[in-house]
Amino acid sequence: TVHTSKGLEYPVVFAPYFYSGVSASGKNDAADRAVFHGDDHRLLLDLRPENSQKAQARYLEEAFAEKLRLFYVAVTRAAYRCYTLYPAGFRNQDTVPACHFLEKFFRADADPAENGIEIRELPSFPSADPSDRNPAKRAAPGESRSFEGRVDSGTRVASYSSIVRHGEYQRFDPALKEDIIGFPRGAHAGNALHDIFETLDFQNPGSWESTVLSVLTDHNLEGENQSWVGPVTDCAVNVLKTRYAEPIHHSEDGFRLCDIPPDRRMAEMEFYLKCGSVRRENFIDLLGPVAGDIRPAELSGWLHGFIDLVFEAGNRYYVLDWKSNYLGAGESDYEPVRLEAAMAEHNYFLQSYMYTLAFHRYLEKRISGYSYETHFGGVFYLFLRGFTGVRDMAAGHMKGIFFQRPDAGLIHGLSRELTG
């Protein structure tokens, strides 16, 4: 769109649709037409009857300027050539910002060529209805023609959630107690926790509480007297200061998320996995019970998704996913055995394989001499309600932490199967 193209450049630009004018009528209601900026640049809403004409004039002035700005942005994106239209004799031309911009090139004393502009009249076209050439296919007056072509729906963009069947979502229930385990449940609360960890500055502890407050307030989940800010901040501190380590192939010290700089991590990594023709029986042979209720027919085309966090620590690369699932009211409900059951119940194993494959392909293209066995560290699923304290994986403290490193043969086989 024009808004998102600001600052970009394209070899050739076509900008034909800038000829809607600015008027006081239309779909905007009276309140919309009374919004404008005052002399001090503050946004004003003036509904006083005695000021209606003045307010409307200011609104029209600003709307005209905004449309003119967008037209200017559009036509200046071209590196070599830009095509646009000037509707000569257009009704109410003085209300159309694009006409205002171009009219100087159509004056009698103007020489557009001096500015590198060529003006041509559009050729006239006969009826554009292709059925006119074939009388047998013409539709009767008032009757639509039947579409006899074929639309190939075999190639599509699918998400992880579209290829598996999920259990019922947890309902939003009142909090049991004011700690992270009792934090409100449901998709809305889960989105808030995800947004917090996406927004946090890992290396700036002084900003953590204010970030939590800001995000919870945006989601209307700060609680009465901001009662949830403290428990959620404590959870964030525990997650970021926990010492993580691979059960095999790790240094004695492990690593903490709060020590990983921004240039060594990426939040919400978007990916598209190219998929060929996938057979369900091959998936079952490869994945076994993990294949679950997968619908591989949905995978013809692209698999699209976002990984919560990818990062590098100790020259190894990791995938991390935040989980807000409520597994029970006690800390023991977040021991590894319960987490493994939750991973199976919600098809998270399959999700983790897809994430691993996406990151693996990403690393293959960006790291010289990359190999899965050497560079890929593994996948962390952090069940946030289990972080009632700081953990140390190297010492065996695993509440809230599920870790796995998918077998290299499985990932390579999955890559071959998806590629087709």
Side-chain angles (χ1 to χ4, degrees):
T1 65
V2 177
H3 286 89
T4 56
S5 70
K6 186 176 180 181
L8 302 178
E9 187 177 71
Y10 304 92
V12 179
V13 168
F14 292 88
Y17 303 119
F18 283 88
Y19 297 97
S20 59
V22 174
S23 69
S25 59
K27 63 183 179 181
N28 292 339
D29 60 27
D32 291 330
R33 299 194 299 273
V35 175
F36 58 92
H37 291 83
D39 295 334
D40 57 358
H41 306 294
R42 290 190 302 166
L43 193 62
L44 301 178
L45 172 62
D46 191 344
L47 297 177
R48 292 173 295 177
E50 65 273 18
N51 275 17
S52 61
Q53 289 188 341
K54 177 182 177 183
Q56 197 167 88
R58 292 292 295 271
Y59 160 77
L60 292 173
E61 180 183 342
E62 292 192 14
F64 188 95
E66 174 63 10
K67 283 200 170 188
L68 182 61
R69 184 188 70 81
L70 287 176
F71 180 72
Y72 175 80
V73 169
V75 298
T76 55
R77 298 308 93 204
Y80 304 112
R81 179 167 293 190
C82 174
Y83 293 88
T84 189
L85 299 177
Y86 182 83
F90 195 68
R91 239 180 358 148
N92 300 321
Q93 238 174 274
D94 57 337
T95 70
V96 179
C99 291
H100 174 79
F101 181 87
L102 295 171
E103 64 182 4
K104 58 177 177 261
F105 301 115
F106 290 84
R107 294 195 308 263
D109 59 341
D111 183 3
E114 289 184 356
N115 297 296
I117 295 174
E118 180 182 2
I119 298 175
R120 295 182 184 177
E121 287 192 15
L122 283 176
S124 58
F125 293 96
S127 171
D129 187 351
S131 68
D132 286 348
R133 302 190 203 99
N134 187 349
K137 288 192 174 183
R138 291 179 188 171
E143 177 189 347
S144 63
R145 287 177 290 123
S146 298
F147 176 69
E148 299 174 359
R150 179 180 177 275
V151 177
D152 181 11
S153 60
T155 300
R156 67 193 76 187
V157 177
S159 65
Y160 161 75
S161 59
S162 72
I163 65 170
V164 298
R165 292 185 176 90
H166 296 277
E168 292 185 3
Y169 288 103
Q170 297 172 334
R171 294 175 301 170
F172 184 89
D173 293 328
L176 300 176
K177 55 182 178 178
E178 291 187 357
D179 64 5
I180 191 59
I181 294 178
F183 185 69
R185 292 177 254 171
H188 180 63
N191 289 338
L193 292 176
H194 275 74
D195 288 352
I196 286 170
F197 283 96
E198 182 182 348
T199 309
L200 281 170
D201 181 347
F202 287 9
Q203 293 190 293
N204 184 10
S207 69
W208 293 349
E209 184 172 14
S210 61
T211 298
V212 169
L213 172 60
S214 175
V215 175
L216 289 182
T217 301
D218 288 345
H219 287 266
N220 198 27
L221 284 170
E222 71 275 18
E224 187 175 351
N225 298 320
Q226 300 179 358
S227 57
W228 284 118
V229 176
V232 176
T233 300
D234 290 342
C235 171
V237 170
N238 296 336
V239 168
L240 296 177
K241 291 191 174 182
T242 282
R243 195 163 295 281
Y244 301 92
E246 298 176 46
I248 303 173
H249 195 294
H250 67 268
S251 65
E252 293 183 2
D253 294 334
F255 60 85
R256 303 185 306 170
L257 293 177
C258 63
D259 296 325
I260 298 176
D263 63 348
R264 295 297 176 187
R265 52 184 164 86
M266 183 193 313
E268 292 296 310
M269 176 187 143
E270 185 176 17
F271 66 86
Y272 285 87
L273 279 177
K274 182 72 175 71
C275 304
S277 179
V278 180
R279 297 173 61 86
R280 174 171 168 76
E281 53 268 30
N282 294 350
F283 251 82
I284 293 175
D285 290 343
L286 184 64
L287 300 174
V290 171
D293 292 324
I294 190 170
R295 300 189 291 270
E298 301 289 340
L299 283 175
S300 181
W302 301 87
L303 180 67
H304 174 236
F306 294 86
I307 303 174
D308 287 348
L309 184 70
V310 296
F311 63 93
E312 182 268 325
N315 297 317
R316 303 267 281 178
Y317 295 84
Y318 299 89
V319 167
L320 187 152
D321 200 79
W322 316 109
K323 292 300 181 189
S324 60
N325 305 52
Y326 176 83
L327 305 181
E331 291 188 28
S332 61
D333 292 312
Y334 299 87
E335 295 283 1
V337 64
R338 291 295 307 276
L339 303 186
E340 186 170 0
M343 293 285 293
E345 178 184 355
H346 296 285
N347 289 310
Y348 292 156
F349 283 111
L350 179 59
Q351 182 187 53
S352 71
Y353 297 158
M354 297 297 185
Y355 288 175
T356 298
L357 176 57
F359 195 36
H360 164 64
R361 288 186 177 177
Y362 175 90
L363 295 172
E364 275 186 320
K365 292 176 170 58
R366 286 162 176 79
I367 298 179
S368 177
Y370 168 82
S371 75
Y372 181 89
E373 293 80 355
T374 302
H375 293 95
F376 188 76
V379 183
F380 290 95
Y381 272 58
L382 302 188
F383 289 76
L384 300 173
R385 296 178 192 271
F387 279 83
T388 53
V390 175
R391 311 302 185 203
D392 186 345
M393 286 184 66
H397 302 154
M398 298 281 289
K399 286 179 185 175
I401 305 170
F402 182 86
F403 175 83
Q404 68 166 347
R405 186 170 180 271
D407 180 75
L410 186 151
I411 297 302
H412 294 316
L414 188 60
S415 181
R416 288 191 299 271
E417 182 60 33
L418 287 177
T419 301

